[in-house]
Amino acid sequence: MAKRNNVLANLDWMTVSLYLLMMFLGWINIYAAVYNDEHQSILDFSQRYGKQAIWIVAAIIIAVGIVVIDSRVYVSFAYPIYALIILLLVSVLLFGTEIKGARSWFQVGSLALQPSEFAKLATALALSKYLSSFNFKIQSFKSLSIVALILLLPVILIFLQNDTGSAIVFFVFLLVLYREGMTGTVLFFGFLFAILFILTLVLSPLNTALILVFGAFVASLFVTRNYKESLRGLAIACLIYSLIWGTNFLLKLDIEGMNILLYSVIVSALLFSIYALRRRLKNLLLIIGFLIGSMLFILSVDYAFNTVLEKHQQSRINELLGIESNPLGAGYNVNQSKIAIGSGGFFGKGFLNGTQTKFDFVPEQSTDFIFCTVGEEWGFLGTTFVIGLFLLLFTRIIRLAEKQRTKFSRIYGYCVACILFFHFAVNIGMTIGLAPVIGIPLPFFSYGGSSLWAFTILLFIFLRLDASRFEQLGY
Amino acid sequence: MDTYSKRKDFLNAFFILIGIIFVLRMFGIQVISSEYKQYATRNILRPEVIYPARGLVYDRNGKLLVQNKAAYDLMVTPREVKSFDTLEMCDILDITKEELIEEMKKARSYSPYKPSPVVKQISPETYAPLQEKLYKYPGFYVQTRTLREYPRGLAGHVLGYVSEVTQKNIDANSYYKSGDYIGSQGLEESYEEYLRGRKGINHFLVDVHNRKKGSYNEGKMDTSAILGKNLIATLDADLQEYAEMLLQNKKGSVVAIEPSTGEVLVCASAPSYDPNILVGRGRGALYSKLSSDTLNPLINRAISAFYSPGSTFKTINILVALQENAITPETCFHCSGKASSPIKCTHSHAPTVNAQIGIRESCNPYFWNVFRSTIGKYPNAEKGYNVWRNHVMSFGLGQKINHEMSGLAPGLIPESESYNKMYGKGRWNAMTIRSLAIGQGEVSVTPFQMANMVAVIANRGYYIEPHLVRSVQEDDNEYRRLEFVKKQSTIDQKHFRVLIDGMQSVVEETSSGAYNVLVDSITICGKTGTIQNPHGSDHSAFIAFAPKENPKIAISVYIENGVWGARYAAPIASLIIEKYLKGKIPPKHLAKEQRMRDANLLNSFQPK
């Protein structure tokens, strides 16, 4: 009995307070977003704010339930829970209800449940369990393959449900792997490729390739530290380029500019590799390899973007990068969302005084675009306050995670922080035009039972683990 | 503690960095930029225009000339349209299915959320059955507009018409927006600012589906519409109607002015049109039909047709000569009748001619002698001509004497420079330009100017700027009388007696002249004119005023191809004078009235 009491005493009440505050703020903003004169009572259960009140009460009951259960249950049942969720993901594909083009819902009466919301926490549990097991070695190929399997299984199933947004969330587990010792090179290259991807689309492949060639030249200058030699190298590369260009011109071969550059890079790269091999300049070889790799990447981005992605996905990305601007088409949501937030000004228009959200100019105003209501009615003060709350929550969770005495709890804590962070970054980012429009909710704010409950369970399992960190010494 | 625990700092830093980026971005769009606030207002504000009824126009006796009638525009908001019985709607509106589809397409391409007109200016007769069925057509509603109505179908040329604004109107005046109405031509145009009133604007809050959600800012930005102001015109509707009736099947015009005030009593032009046909849905087609008519019914001949004044001009020539002391009333010139040279006389009378006989007999030789004496008083013809021209222009000729009518022509009294160009400086004299003595040659006048010229004679030396509107309604709804300038001619009052006596004898004594002008108990002073016309029969002109003392009406009548002055113009003028001064035509003149009314002179060639 003493231990039970300890649980309440050891619970991190600061996180719990943040959680309750966020749910409350979310609720009144949903009220403001769908407010109308006919249904003024905030507890009108025919309206979304009334329903959200029910979801919140249920979430608190769930939270209490999770705290009551012994923390070891979550550790031991990590794999079964994961297996159950995978089963649910498969069955929702077969028997689920389709809502807005995504077959990811179980309709039970008036309640719609979305298994993919729960897949995140199940994967977090399974990943924590596997990474904390004794036979896991971060450098071993076998271990990494199993990690990849744990991650990719739900990702593929959710992709198949046509719920791209939820699937993309799983990439955030790379951050957890990084914390657990995965080489930073993966993140670095991921970052580099993202930049190349954007440059290719914004600047056109040819220009990006030219920048790359220039970058490689500067890099080689640093590596060889030989001014004359580098210039000579550049001259040779230019010569090769003009040779190929001249041949194309004279023989009218109709080779594209991009390809001329590619061929000359390959030819000169070959020459330089021989030179580097003879001089045993390992770094130069690396640069050359990287250059060729990047050139091929550029080509594939160009190809993938135009043939693999669907039209609406292309235009969403184009819109985000400012290549296309069509405020009435693909950019409508983001444009209206920015107008709503921007019109809030410093102090906001005041509670229930938002016009853009209330008159339905912002789509999905109570779910994915709930942050618009915050921005419009509470202004810069409100948005900064909410962003501050989230940052406080993330740093608090990381601090708690670092205090954990078991690897499982620590890894799970990072999973929680990273999942919440990804939702935060992408959801708010898309409302202000800094991220593509991916339909994922803002944790604790957005309307919806499934996501609120899933985030609650995700967070409270961690709080339960944290509350009993002193019992688990021997684990 | 494990080897990678330092990586927590990286993750923390990354999270905080993203947070800072967000806060900076929020600061940018919420605090620094004002663009989103403007967009937001534009999003939710729908200004709705309230069109005030246009002002009415009354005649001088309070009879309505122009009023308003209701018309209905069928509007559609394409987004809200559900499938409906198109055939039934086309039936009610009397349009084809293709027209309806075309209009719906236009509306959709304008905006799916905003209303645009499908069929404009539906008559009340069509509106009644449409209103009953309207509930079956979601997305459609009817907007009430007002159209002009002319209860007596009179004076279309003077009143002008109302039409939809053109892009040019919109560019010239920011008050107008596409779809507004504006007065074109006539009084509708010149008194537009009084007649139109002021549009009101209500600002409504709308949601994304353009549904009204209440008024904006408690209506503080709204402006209420101000009704158009009424006008009291100077026209006499009954007399105008009578003149138009007499002018039917003729080309010509009648202008009558009240000399003491400059008020225009009649301004009629033929062929004419019923202004009611330039209203409503059929307007476009009828307008183009009228404008391509070879008889030019849209042209207001009274103010814009150029004619030679003919013999009516002799009245001025005699006044100028008297004023310049070139002649006295007793000065006589010899007339050799048809043998006279260089201009023969067309009438037969005693060979010795003084002023009164000259006017009565319209003796050409007398007048070129008078003209030569006038010009000859000066050392050279150019100087003499300029003095003459100055006198003539003081009668309001060769210039615009009215500022209400946009189509008003100034006429022409040439500058001496034109003759210098024509003949060479110093190489012309009074006899070179002798045609001016009998109102032919280079001078041209409008019937409106001739009526004003008669008003100067009737007033013995001055005129008040002739005008068509007496009073306008002010903001307090009281009528304010407009003031017009009095202009003095260069001729002294004493010289008019001889001329006026002569004009009286034109009507009362001349044997071959205006014998059928006589009206019991009214002394009419007049002058006939026959204007040479190389393209057909000569034109018939007559100017007159009555009564001789304290004149009430000055009139000029022009009948194209009327053969000679006394044949049509003079009887028509006398009928109008009699109608105006006595109120009705006595039985003994009904035959004359009928003859005038039934004459058809649309053919350019008439038997002599």
Side-chain angles (χ1 to χ4, degrees), chain A residues 64-78:
Chain A
V64 172
I66 283 170
V67 172
V68 168
I69 296 170
D70 192 297
S71 65
R72 274 166 293 196
V73 170
Y74 305 116
V75 185
S76 0
F77 282 87

Side-chain angles (χ1 to χ4, degrees), chain B residues 114-420:
Chain B
K114 291 181 184 163
S116 32
V118 187
V119 185
K120 284 184 187 174
Q121 303 176 350
I122 299 166
S123 66
E125 295 76 44
T126 314
Y127 173 67
L130 179 68
Q131 177 69 6
E132 276 171 35
K133 299 278 168 62
L134 211 56
Y135 73 95
K136 287 202 227 165
Y137 312 128
F140 289 88
Y141 73 97
V142 170
Q143 190 178 56
T144 312
R145 297 292 293 262
T146 56
L147 289 184
R148 288 311 233 182
E149 188 173 42
Y150 307 85
R152 300 174 68 170
L154 288 175
H157 291 120
V158 173
L159 299 171
Y161 47 87
V162 169
S163 57
E164 225 175 286
V165 290
T166 60
Q167 191 55 44
K168 228 169 138 186
N169 298 138
I170 297 171
D171 294 341
N173 188 339
S174 60
Y175 173 86
Y176 298 102
K177 301 277 174 286
S178 176
D180 284 4
Y181 291 138
I182 189 171
S184 307
Q185 304 291 334
L187 301 184
E188 293 278 18
E189 181 184 21
S190 51
Y191 288 89
E192 165 72 8
E193 281 181 34
Y194 290 97
L195 290 170
R196 77 178 177 210
R198 203 185 66 200
K199 288 183 288 189
I201 296 178
N202 284 348
H203 296 267
F204 289 106
L205 290 175
V206 292
D207 69 3
V208 69
H209 303 301
N210 208 25
R211 287 182 297 226
K212 281 188 204 166
K213 291 285 179 179
S215 71
Y216 176 69
N217 204 3
E218 291 159 6
K220 278 176 198 152
M221 279 167 68
D222 295 355
T223 50
S224 52
I226 295 175
L227 278 179
K229 299 279 173 274
N230 298 343
L231 302 181
I232 296 178
T234 62
L235 293 181
D236 183 315
D238 297 334
L239 202 60
Q240 175 83 21
E241 189 170 41
Y242 189 61
E244 287 187 14
M245 187 265 286
L246 292 174
L247 281 176
Q248 67 187 351
N249 293 321
K250 297 167 194 70
K251 289 175 280 179
S253 57
V254 173
V255 179
I257 294 174
E258 184 176 71
S260 58
T261 57
E263 292 181 355
V264 177
L265 302 167
V266 174
C267 184
S269 170
S272 187
Y273 61 91
D274 181 351
N276 285 307
I277 66 172
L278 287 186
V279 163
R281 280 173 66 190
R283 184 177 176 277
L286 280 164
Y287 186 87
S288 45
K289 196 178 150 208
L290 285 176
S291 60
S292 61
D293 191 324
T294 50
L295 295 172
N296 299 322
L298 287 175
I299 288 181
N300 185 356
R301 288 173 158 78
I303 60 162
S304 60
F306 279 47
Y307 298 104
S308 292
S311 300
T312 58
F313 199 58
K314 288 170 181 168
T315 54
I316 294 196
N317 271 331
I318 207 161
L319 287 173
V320 174
L322 290 167
Q323 179 71 24
E324 288 294 318
N325 287 323
I327 57 162
T328 66
E330 290 71 37
T331 310
C332 287
F333 294 103
H334 182 75
C335 170
S336 318
K338 293 198 183 349
S340 305
S341 172
I343 311 177
K344 64 178 180 180
C345 188
T346 52
H347 302 110
S348 40
H349 52 85
T352 309
V353 182
N354 66 10
Q356 192 174 349
I357 300 170
I359 295 163
R360 192 186 73 206
E361 301 299 336
S362 198
C363 176
N364 288 344
Y366 173 79
F367 277 97
W368 61 254
N369 278 303
V370 167
F371 185 67
R372 185 168 63 176
S373 309
T374 311
I375 306 291
K377 282 206 67 173
Y378 290 88
N380 62 58
E382 185 173 348
K383 196 152 185 199
Y385 175 79
N386 281 337
V387 170
W388 177 86
R389 180 173 184 267
N390 189 38
H391 286 303
V392 170
M393 295 210 24
S394 76
F395 284 78
L397 303 179
Q399 60 198 289
K400 289 192 175 189
I401 46 167
N402 171 283
H403 302 285
E404 296 163 314
M405 309 290 280
S406 60
L408 194 87
L412 178 71
I413 308 295
E415 290 180 30
S416 56
E417 202 47 43
S418 322
Y419 291 111
N420 285 338

